Amino acid sequence: MHNAAFAALGIEARYEALDVPSAALPDALARLAEPDCYGANVTVPHKVAVMALLEVLTPEAQAVGAVNTLIQHQGRLVGHNTDASGFLRALREDAGFEPAGALACVLGAGGAARAVVYALLGAGARVALHNRTEAKAAALAREFAPLGPLELLSAAELERRLSSCDLLVNATSVGMGERDPDVSPLPPGALPARGLVCDIVYRPARTRLLREAEAAGLATQNGLPMLVYQGAEAFARWTGAAAPVPVMMAAARRALEPGRA
Ligand code: ATR
């Protein structure tokens, strides 16, 4: 989507994937800080670890506790977080969902879940959080408690809360990729009673969770709009140009949802 955006605006630049083992992260960052580079995105598993290697973080990246975008500025890399705003924009513009006053059940406690919970609390939602490893969810809940109403759920409590939530967000990596496409982060038979089910996974385009939610008549959204909007904000910050969102959306759809493009 970034290469399509560069081409659409006539910008001579190239976006490429770098596979960086944890031990090589400092060297990769040194290369990305060179003046011929706009910056980079950071993804699993480096979104939290990269923070310790950066001199400058935006207040939002600091508050979320995860970095997904690096901007090169005068030979230094600044750590941003565009996942939180990308998630909110996808909810509002693509799903027509307004989080203010809603009860949101969120699954996960990693870097992606941090951005989702931060965004939802900032937008005035109440959040109920569940994670496989409860201690990680408890730590996240303690940290984010000052931002708004945030409750911790055990697995049994999650099943009960599904009857009253307006939004369910899967912010775990369960269901992601070709390796294990047929697993759901919810126990068999468990689904919200109403509202929107949102999976931040974008490959496959319809996770098992989304297929089951659709079959039950619930509204669904996959991770593609969030991916595009976090990318659009990063693009605008790298280049100083307005991101051609429809071009980026079409390119991402062609790559990830070929049957639907
Ligand atoms: P990201 O930055 O994409 O959020 P992460 O920090 O590795 O990646 O977090 C992955 C999330 O998916 C975690 O909440 C993880 O749960 P744990 O904290 O218990 O590890 C969750 N997750 C991954 N595999 C899972 C599985 N098989 N069942 C339940 N949760 C899982």
Tab-separated table of all heavy atoms in Angstrom, residues 104-132:
chain	number	residue	atom	x	y	z
A	104	ALA	N	-16.819	-2.233	25.863
A	104	ALA	CA	-15.977	-2.989	24.929
A	104	ALA	C	-15.245	-4.095	25.671
A	104	ALA	O	-14.577	-3.833	26.673
A	104	ALA	CB	-14.960	-2.052	24.271
A	105	CYS	N	-15.390	-5.336	25.193
A	105	CYS	CA	-14.572	-6.442	25.703
A	105	CYS	C	-13.359	-6.565	24.796
A	105	CYS	O	-13.508	-6.687	23.574
A	105	CYS	CB	-15.339	-7.766	25.666
A	105	CYS	SG	-16.535	-7.917	26.989
A	106	VAL	N	-12.179	-6.510	25.374
A	106	VAL	CA	-10.942	-6.597	24.592
A	106	VAL	C	-10.172	-7.848	25.006
A	106	VAL	O	-9.987	-8.105	26.207
A	106	VAL	CB	-10.059	-5.343	24.805
A	106	VAL	CG1	-8.746	-5.462	24.027
A	106	VAL	CG2	-10.812	-4.081	24.391
A	107	LEU	N	-9.723	-8.617	24.016
A	107	LEU	CA	-8.923	-9.817	24.263
A	107	LEU	C	-7.478	-9.515	23.917
A	107	LEU	O	-7.192	-9.043	22.812
A	107	LEU	CB	-9.409	-10.968	23.372
A	107	LEU	CG	-10.905	-11.251	23.391
A	107	LEU	CD1	-11.247	-12.348	22.384
A	107	LEU	CD2	-11.352	-11.641	24.790
A	108	GLY	N	-6.563	-9.777	24.876
A	108	GLY	CA	-5.140	-9.589	24.605
A	108	GLY	C	-4.514	-8.607	25.576
A	108	GLY	O	-5.222	-7.851	26.265
A	109	ALA	N	-3.187	-8.645	25.640
A	109	ALA	CA	-2.471	-7.698	26.502
A	109	ALA	C	-1.091	-7.389	25.936
A	109	ALA	O	-0.200	-6.966	26.662
A	109	ALA	CB	-2.353	-8.254	27.926
A	110	GLY	N	-0.904	-7.598	24.614
A	110	GLY	CA	0.366	-7.283	23.971
A	110	GLY	C	0.370	-5.861	23.439
A	110	GLY	O	-0.459	-5.025	23.839
A	111	GLY	N	1.292	-5.588	22.520
A	111	GLY	CA	1.414	-4.239	21.973
A	111	GLY	C	0.158	-3.770	21.266
A	111	GLY	O	-0.254	-2.606	21.398
A	112	ALA	N	-0.489	-4.660	20.519
A	112	ALA	CA	-1.699	-4.270	19.796
A	112	ALA	C	-2.836	-3.987	20.767
A	112	ALA	O	-3.580	-3.005	20.614
A	112	ALA	CB	-2.092	-5.373	18.821
A	113	ALA	N	-2.963	-4.827	21.791
A	113	ALA	CA	-4.019	-4.620	22.786
A	113	ALA	C	-3.810	-3.297	23.523
A	113	ALA	O	-4.774	-2.585	23.841
A	113	ALA	CB	-4.047	-5.782	23.776
A	114	ARG	N	-2.580	-2.955	23.770
A	114	ARG	CA	-2.299	-1.679	24.455
A	114	ARG	C	-2.859	-0.510	23.642
A	114	ARG	O	-3.492	0.403	24.185
A	114	ARG	CB	-0.793	-1.483	24.644
A	114	ARG	CG	-0.128	-2.491	25.551
A	114	ARG	CD	1.350	-2.180	25.711
A	114	ARG	NE	1.526	-1.037	26.578
A	114	ARG	CZ	1.683	-1.116	27.896
A	114	ARG	NH1	1.746	-2.280	28.486
A	114	ARG	NH2	1.794	-0.026	28.617
A	115	ALA	N	-2.626	-0.537	22.307
A	115	ALA	CA	-3.122	0.557	21.458
A	115	ALA	C	-4.654	0.578	21.447
A	115	ALA	O	-5.269	1.646	21.509
A	115	ALA	CB	-2.580	0.391	20.035
A	116	VAL	N	-5.269	-0.600	21.394
A	116	VAL	CA	-6.734	-0.687	21.345
A	116	VAL	C	-7.353	-0.163	22.648
A	116	VAL	O	-8.295	0.638	22.633
A	116	VAL	CB	-7.165	-2.153	21.072
A	116	VAL	CG1	-8.630	-2.373	21.367
A	116	VAL	CG2	-6.832	-2.534	19.626
A	117	VAL	N	-6.803	-0.606	23.776
A	117	VAL	CA	-7.363	-0.183	25.072
A	117	VAL	C	-7.162	1.323	25.267
A	117	VAL	O	-8.078	2.041	25.684
A	117	VAL	CB	-6.714	-0.984	26.234
A	117	VAL	CG1	-7.119	-0.409	27.587
A	117	VAL	CG2	-7.102	-2.461	26.131
A	118	TYR	N	-5.984	1.807	24.927
A	118	TYR	CA	-5.697	3.248	25.037
A	118	TYR	C	-6.685	4.051	24.187
A	118	TYR	O	-7.248	5.050	24.638
A	118	TYR	CB	-4.265	3.494	24.574
A	118	TYR	CG	-3.874	4.949	24.509
A	118	TYR	CD1	-3.392	5.618	25.635
A	118	TYR	CD2	-3.977	5.661	23.315
A	118	TYR	CE1	-3.033	6.951	25.568
A	118	TYR	CE2	-3.623	7.001	23.246
A	118	TYR	CZ	-3.150	7.637	24.378
A	118	TYR	OH	-2.803	8.963	24.311
A	119	ALA	N	-6.907	3.591	22.943
A	119	ALA	CA	-7.810	4.308	22.037
A	119	ALA	C	-9.239	4.295	22.573
A	119	ALA	O	-9.922	5.328	22.571
A	119	ALA	CB	-7.768	3.657	20.649
A	120	LEU	N	-9.697	3.148	23.037
A	120	LEU	CA	-11.086	3.030	23.493
A	120	LEU	C	-11.333	3.876	24.744
A	120	LEU	O	-12.351	4.577	24.839
A	120	LEU	CB	-11.442	1.567	23.763
A	120	LEU	CG	-11.608	0.695	22.516
A	120	LEU	CD1	-11.717	-0.774	22.894
A	120	LEU	CD2	-12.843	1.136	21.713
A	121	LEU	N	-10.398	3.826	25.698
A	121	LEU	CA	-10.590	4.632	26.918
A	121	LEU	C	-10.553	6.119	26.570
A	121	LEU	O	-11.363	6.903	27.076
A	121	LEU	CB	-9.509	4.290	27.956
A	121	LEU	CG	-9.628	2.903	28.600
A	121	LEU	CD1	-8.431	2.640	29.510
A	121	LEU	CD2	-10.933	2.744	29.382
A	122	GLY	N	-9.648	6.502	25.669
A	122	GLY	CA	-9.554	7.903	25.261
A	122	GLY	C	-10.814	8.381	24.572
A	122	GLY	O	-11.155	9.560	24.622
A	123	ALA	N	-11.524	7.454	23.920
A	123	ALA	CA	-12.746	7.822	23.198
A	123	ALA	C	-13.991	7.702	24.082
A	123	ALA	O	-15.108	7.890	23.610
A	123	ALA	CB	-12.903	6.932	21.962
A	124	GLY	N	-13.797	7.361	25.353
A	124	GLY	CA	-14.936	7.370	26.285
A	124	GLY	C	-15.661	6.043	26.425
A	124	GLY	O	-16.775	6.004	26.947
A	125	ALA	N	-15.041	4.946	25.980
A	125	ALA	CA	-15.670	3.629	26.171
A	125	ALA	C	-15.319	3.082	27.558
A	125	ALA	O	-14.354	3.517	28.187
A	125	ALA	CB	-15.182	2.656	25.100
A	126	ARG	N	-16.118	2.111	28.020
A	126	ARG	CA	-15.747	1.306	29.193
A	126	ARG	C	-15.116	0.033	28.641
A	126	ARG	O	-15.626	-0.540	27.683
A	126	ARG	CB	-16.986	0.947	30.021
A	126	ARG	CG	-17.606	2.156	30.724
A	126	ARG	CD	-18.934	1.787	31.349
A	126	ARG	NE	-19.943	1.517	30.328
A	126	ARG	CZ	-20.811	0.508	30.356
A	126	ARG	NH1	-20.813	-0.355	31.357
A	126	ARG	NH2	-21.689	0.350	29.392
A	127	VAL	N	-14.025	-0.385	29.262
A	127	VAL	CA	-13.291	-1.540	28.724
A	127	VAL	C	-13.258	-2.672	29.741
A	127	VAL	O	-12.988	-2.451	30.925
A	127	VAL	CB	-11.849	-1.141	28.335
A	127	VAL	CG1	-11.030	-2.369	27.932
A	127	VAL	CG2	-11.867	-0.118	27.196
A	128	ALA	N	-13.560	-3.881	29.262
A	128	ALA	CA	-13.396	-5.100	30.065
A	128	ALA	C	-12.348	-5.941	29.355
A	128	ALA	O	-12.489	-6.251	28.173
A	128	ALA	CB	-14.714	-5.842	30.171
A	129	LEU	N	-11.272	-6.275	30.067
A	129	LEU	CA	-10.082	-6.849	29.428
A	129	LEU	C	-9.852	-8.281	29.873
A	129	LEU	O	-9.872	-8.589	31.064
A	129	LEU	CB	-8.871	-5.988	29.829
A	129	LEU	CG	-7.524	-6.375	29.258
A	129	LEU	CD1	-7.490	-6.138	27.753
A	129	LEU	CD2	-6.417	-5.566	29.933
A	130	HIS	N	-9.607	-9.154	28.877
A	130	HIS	CA	-9.245	-10.537	29.207
A	130	HIS	C	-8.004	-10.934	28.415
A	130	HIS	O	-7.890	-10.608	27.231
A	130	HIS	CB	-10.379	-11.502	28.872
A	130	HIS	CG	-9.955	-12.930	28.978
A	130	HIS	ND1	-9.744	-13.554	30.190
A	130	HIS	CD2	-9.628	-13.845	28.030
A	130	HIS	CE1	-9.331	-14.792	29.984
A	130	HIS	NE2	-9.253	-15.000	28.685
A	131	ASN	N	-7.103	-11.647	29.085
A	131	ASN	CA	-5.927	-12.188	28.387
A	131	ASN	C	-5.624	-13.573	28.924
A	131	ASN	O	-5.889	-13.869	30.085
A	131	ASN	CB	-4.713	-11.273	28.609
A	131	ASN	CG	-3.546	-11.674	27.724
A	131	ASN	OD1	-3.712	-11.883	26.521
A	131	ASN	ND2	-2.361	-11.797	28.310
A	132	ARG	N	-5.092	-14.436	28.034
A	132	ARG	CA	-4.725	-15.802	28.443
A	132	ARG	C	-3.858	-15.763	29.699
A	132	ARG	O	-4.120	-16.448	30.672
A	132	ARG	CB	-3.984	-16.489	27.289
A	132	ARG	CG	-3.424	-17.837	27.634
A	132	ARG	CD	-2.733	-18.450	26.444
A	132	ARG	NE	-1.556	-17.674	26.017
A	132	ARG	CZ	-0.758	-18.020	25.033
A	132	ARG	NH1	-1.006	-19.120	24.339
A	132	ARG	NH2	0.284	-17.267	24.700
